[in-house]
Amino acid sequence: MDNLNRQLLDHIKALHGAGVEWLPRTSALEVATQSASPGASAAEQLTSFGPTGDPELSNRRVALTTLAGEVKGCTRCAELCSTRAQTVFGVGNPLAEVCFIGEAPGADEDAQGEPFVGAAGQLLNKILAASGFKREEIYICNILKCRPPGNRTPLAEEAANCRDFLERQLEMIAPKYIVALGGCAATNLLQTTLSIAKLRGRFHVYRNSKLLVTYHPAYLLPNKDPSKKKEVWEDMKFLVTAMGRSLPDSSSNTDG
Ligand code: URA
């Protein structure tokens, strides 16, 4: 595969990671991919996403694609844009009823272009499954779209630089519920310095969404504070009940 096709394929994968599942097939793309071999060409990958026939879904995908492209070229934070491998826009269903928002990409997310794919992501997947959510039905993103070097905490200035991307992203998805995962998400979305212990257990308001605060999955990993699992489980039950959903039969506890 030549360089142009490689770049095109990387771009399409990033868009797919951002929740974009189809794009119009243009003659320019076909020309660009005519020499692609071996394996599936970028144009083939495009058509495999397939249109849905749902105009609202299509509109949101196009809007998110455009915004993801803008984020990809962002140079607002000199340090982050010179150290990132790529931007990590978000992933999931543009029509999601609930959006989970973390802090910032880590090393795995920076490498793969998708949020929550590393150790914390594996734990998030377990939490979601235990609560009856499929990863593809919800939307997942972060306060920052770039990895802070060494996974340091995002600076207030970086969060401020990224804020308008997040606000526009949330406006497009218009989730009824938001789950702020950890202190960084809670602080930035609610503009508060209160601790998670003080913020969890009830809904807050973020624009038109009901916002629930809980601990970040990374905080529950064995080397941090696994005792907080019980609280996270209570928070998820609170959310699921408020959404009028039921828990899977197997969800009597969250151990393991
Ligand atoms: N932690 C986050 O807050 N976000 C990710 O995407 C991964 C780890």
Side-chain angles (χ1 to χ4, degrees):
M1 190 179 288
D2 64 26
N3 196 33
L4 179 60
N5 275 299
R6 165 62 52 209
Q7 282 179 20
L8 183 56
L9 191 52
D10 286 347
H11 183 57
I12 291 165
K13 282 181 180 166
L15 293 176
H16 192 216
V20 175
E21 295 190 359
W22 77 276
L23 291 170
R25 181 175 176 151
T26 67
S27 55
L29 277 173
E30 287 179 273
V31 169
T33 55
Q34 263 166 11
S35 60
S37 70
S41 71
E44 281 163 353
Q45 298 241 354
L46 274 183
T47 50
S48 75
F49 298 161
T52 63
D54 177 339
E56 184 56 30
L57 181 56
S58 301
N59 288 344
R60 291 194 195 186
R61 279 182 178 155
V62 170
L64 286 164
T65 305
T66 307
L67 183 59
E70 206 182 307
V71 167
K72 196 177 167 68
C74 178
T75 56
R76 288 178 197 172
C77 305
E79 186 186 19
L80 301 193
C81 72
S82 65
T83 54
R84 73 187 178 211
Q86 59 190 310
T87 53
V88 179
F89 182 67
V91 72
N93 179 5
L95 300 171
E97 200 180 355
V98 54
C99 181
F100 288 75
I101 305 182
E103 180 174 311
D108 294 304
E109 291 76 20
D110 182 59
Q112 294 183 44
E114 182 173 329
F116 283 100
V117 291
Q122 300 310 311
L123 194 47
L124 178 62
N125 288 347
K126 283 189 185 173
I127 294 167
L128 293 173
S131 311
F133 291 112
K134 294 195 185 75
R135 197 171 150 110
E136 59 274 19
E137 81 179 285
I138 61 161
Y139 197 87
I140 309 176
C141 61
N142 284 306
I143 295 292
L144 291 195
K145 310 303 184 204
C146 296
R147 179 190 181 207
N151 298 344
R152 64 161 169 72
T153 303
L155 305 175
E157 188 192 335
E158 292 164 347
N161 286 344
C162 228
R163 173 98 190 175
D164 127 84
F165 292 138
L166 178 64
E167 282 178 3
R168 286 157 67 197
Q169 190 172 27
L170 290 174
E171 216 169 285
M172 289 166 190
I173 300 158
K176 196 164 171 193
Y177 298 92
I178 291 174
V179 179
L181 299 168
C184 174
T187 302
N188 280 287
L189 289 165
L190 295 176
Q191 302 290 304
T192 177
T193 51
L194 287 176
S195 66
I196 297 184
K198 294 225 164 73
L199 292 168
R200 59 175 290 276
R202 65 187 189 280
F203 283 121
H204 304 263
V205 177
Y206 173 86
R207 305 211 164 175
N208 294 322
S209 308
K210 293 180 176 184
L211 186 150
L212 186 67
V213 173
T214 195
Y215 293 98
H216 192 288
Y219 197 57
L220 311 180
L221 291 171
N223 58 341
K224 295 280 177 67
D225 189 355
S227 72
K228 291 286 184 289
K229 272 187 185 174
K230 188 172 153 287
E231 279 100 321
V232 171
W233 181 230
E234 280 167 7
D235 295 334
M236 293 304 290
K237 282 195 284 190
F238 181 74
L239 173 71
V240 167
T241 306
M243 291 177 77
R245 297 169 60 122
S246 42
L247 294 164
D249 289 344
S250 52
S251 290
S252 51
N253 68 67
T254 50
D255 295 341

